[in-house]
Amino acid sequence: MKRLLLILCLFSAAITHGQNAPGRWSAEKANAWYAKEPFLVGSNYAPANAINELEMFQAGSFDPATIDKELAMAERIGMNTMRVFLHDLLWKDSAGFTKRLDQFLSLCAKHKIRPMLVLFDSCWDPFPKLGKQHEPVPGIHNSGWLQSPGAAALTDESQYLRLEAYVKGVVGAFKNDKRILAWDVWNEPDNTNDNSYGKNNKKLEPANKVALVTKLLPRVFQWARSAGATQPLTSGVWIYRTPADWQNPAKWSPMEKIQFENSDIITFHQYSNPTELEKVIPALESFGRPVICTEYMARGVNSKFQTHLPIAKKAKVGMINWGFVAGKTQTFLPWDSWQKPYVNGREPAIWFHEVFKQDGTPVDPAEVAAIKKATGK
């Protein structure tokens, strides 16, 4: 009887998971696409000399030489993808940004890397500005990363036409580009950054931020689809749920419902131990679509290359860790640095993220060996 109930529950979940938003790929199309892909392994990538998305791609700070050097490092250890964040403000110089993004994609192709491009992001500083970016705040993890759109644009519906132009413009320019793996339309859309503004935990976010993004996210999916994207679209779930919760739509938040019902492929974040990864993979695979983990690997919470890559490879779940070369993002520092910065001689017991130090040496040679083993390099 218990076995029959389990089968019925999974069948019911599969029917629910099969709901399609307008234009969404069928599960069959998504799986046919994924069958042609290798085991995907890469990093969330920004060059070491860029503090955020704007510094990576603005004309005055775009650095193809550094990107070329670092992507060569990724190629040498077998990485074949990168997750790369864009920003809506870059579209103010649409021609220049398109040219620089094309140049970046050419560098990726040179090193046999097909990136997943992120259009919007709800994490960190809600007040982005074009121009020269500030220097890293000493001792603080990701002290210069920017939300896209910022709070001003998110709360001003008159700016949504500009956001629509950005999405349709950048996706439309590269809609048939085989150098691009996929589009991640919005990173952690319901993240309100409750622990990210220092000891006082200042409430810098719009009070109705989640409601605003919940309303906007389906439109972003449709903008990307109407631009003719031939690559799959996704937005990854990131808040911890038990496997039973993932298989029970009644447990989903309104945002997660939008993400699941609009994504061509299922993506998720997993900063936890290998046992939890082994549990979550079958739950997300029950959706009947390809599954990719777009953030993991935080040594301080027991999320590691050596443990996670073999589990994921067995299930062919792509794995994209946070951080590649240590630099201005300072994401080698733990999350708790927002409450207690690593200054005045205070050092982290272990590096939190990153594969390589800034001098190009591995943080841990055993990790690089694990990546090479997983990628067949």
Side-chain angles (χ1 to χ4, degrees):
M1 179 61 71
K2 288 182 179 179
R3 185 179 181 86
L4 177 60
L5 287 173
L6 176 61
I7 292 171
L8 289 173
C9 287
L10 289 175
F11 179 71
S12 176
I15 292 174
T16 304
H17 297 164
Q19 292 179 351
N20 285 341
R24 186 193 190 196
W25 284 12
S26 67
E28 292 76 14
K29 181 177 180 179
N31 288 319
W33 168 83
Y34 197 55
K36 299 175 184 177
E37 298 297 328
F39 174 44
L40 296 167
V41 177
S43 296
N44 282 266
Y45 176 71
N49 57 1
I51 195 171
N52 57 35
E53 317 94 306
L54 294 185
E55 193 161 43
M56 179 175 179
F57 281 109
Q58 285 187 129
S61 48
F62 181 63
D63 186 354
T66 294
I67 292 169
D68 188 25
K69 178 184 72 175
E70 293 178 353
L71 293 182
M73 294 163 60
E75 181 185 13
R76 283 196 293 272
I77 62 174
M79 287 186 168
N80 51 28
T81 190
M82 289 284 171
R83 185 167 176 252
V84 176
F85 290 72
L86 312 181
H87 200 287
D88 62 279
L89 293 181
L90 292 164
W91 200 245
K92 186 174 183 180
D93 173 23
S94 57
F97 173 49
T98 300
K99 182 179 179 180
R100 290 186 292 276
L101 183 54
D102 180 69
Q103 190 173 358
F104 171 74
L105 291 171
S106 293
L107 291 171
C108 287
K110 173 183 176 182
H111 297 292
K112 304 177 180 64
I113 289 168
R114 293 171 62 232
M116 177 182 292
L117 300 181
V118 185
L119 296 173
F120 292 121
D121 184 7
S122 285
C123 294
W124 311 114
D125 186 349
F127 305 113
K129 294 180 181 177
L130 291 168
K132 182 174 173 54
Q133 303 299 294
H134 68 74
E135 291 302 308
V137 179
I140 292 182
H141 173 111
N142 229 2
S143 64
W145 203 256
L146 302 170
Q147 292 188 37
S148 172
L154 185 61
T155 56
D156 178 6
E157 197 159 345
S158 70
Q159 293 200 45
Y160 288 10
L161 285 175
R162 178 181 66 80
L163 300 179
E164 180 179 0
Y166 155 65
V167 172
K168 289 183 174 180
V170 71
V171 173
F174 298 96
K175 62 184 179 182
N176 296 313
D177 200 318
K178 297 187 183 305
R179 296 173 297 179
I180 296 172
L181 177 73
W183 299 95
D184 188 339
V185 303
W186 204 310
N187 178 62
E188 299 191 359
D190 42 355
N191 193 333
T192 53
N193 300 286
D194 292 340
N195 296 313
S196 302
Y197 299 118
K199 292 181 180 178
N200 297 325
N201 194 22
K202 297 175 182 177
K203 294 296 182 182
L204 301 177
E205 302 277 31
N208 60 338
K209 176 182 178 179
V210 173
L212 290 170
V213 181
T214 302
K215 183 178 179 181
L216 187 56
L217 182 56
R219 294 166 67 176
V220 176
F221 271 105
Q222 285 307 114
W223 293 341
R225 289 197 165 103
S226 67
T230 58
Q231 309 91 344
L233 309 182
T234 190
S235 176
V237 294
W238 65 281
I239 298 172
Y240 176 77
R241 297 275 189 261
T242 67
D245 286 349
W246 285 136
Q247 294 176 322
N248 181 3
K251 296 286 187 178
W252 301 347
S253 70
M255 191 78 76
E256 289 163 345
K257 180 177 173 63
I258 293 166
Q259 291 174 289
F260 281 136
E261 294 183 356
N262 284 270
S263 292
D264 300 319
I265 58 176
I266 303 302
T267 54
F268 71 106
H269 296 173
Q270 207 270 344
Y271 290 114
S272 188
N273 61 61
T275 300
E276 294 300 321
L277 181 65
E278 288 181 311
K279 292 177 181 177
V280 76
I281 285 175
L284 295 178
E285 285 182 326
S286 72
F287 288 53
R289 292 175 176 271
V291 178
I292 299 174
C293 178
T294 50
E295 288 188 28
Y296 82 107
M297 211 298 285
R299 299 175 183 92
V301 294
N302 202 24
S303 178
K304 301 178 180 179
F305 294 114
Q306 295 96 317
T307 55
H308 284 46
L309 286 175
I311 294 169
K313 186 173 184 177
K314 185 176 180 180
K316 200 188 175 186
V317 169
M319 296 296 283
I320 305 176
N321 73 282
W322 188 273
F324 188 60
V325 179
K328 293 175 77 172
T329 62
Q330 299 182 158
T331 55
F332 57 86
L333 298 170
W335 294 320
D336 67 9
S337 62
W338 281 94
Q339 281 69 47
K340 190 177 180 182
Y342 285 77
V343 293
N344 300 323
R346 182 174 180 248
E347 296 287 340
I350 56 172
W351 275 29
F352 206 61
H353 298 307
E354 323 304 357
V355 181
F356 291 101
K357 300 176 182 178
Q358 199 156 7
D359 64 5
T361 60
V363 175
D364 181 352
E367 294 178 342
V368 170
I371 295 169
K372 286 184 174 181
K373 182 177 180 181
T375 59
K377 197 72 174 183

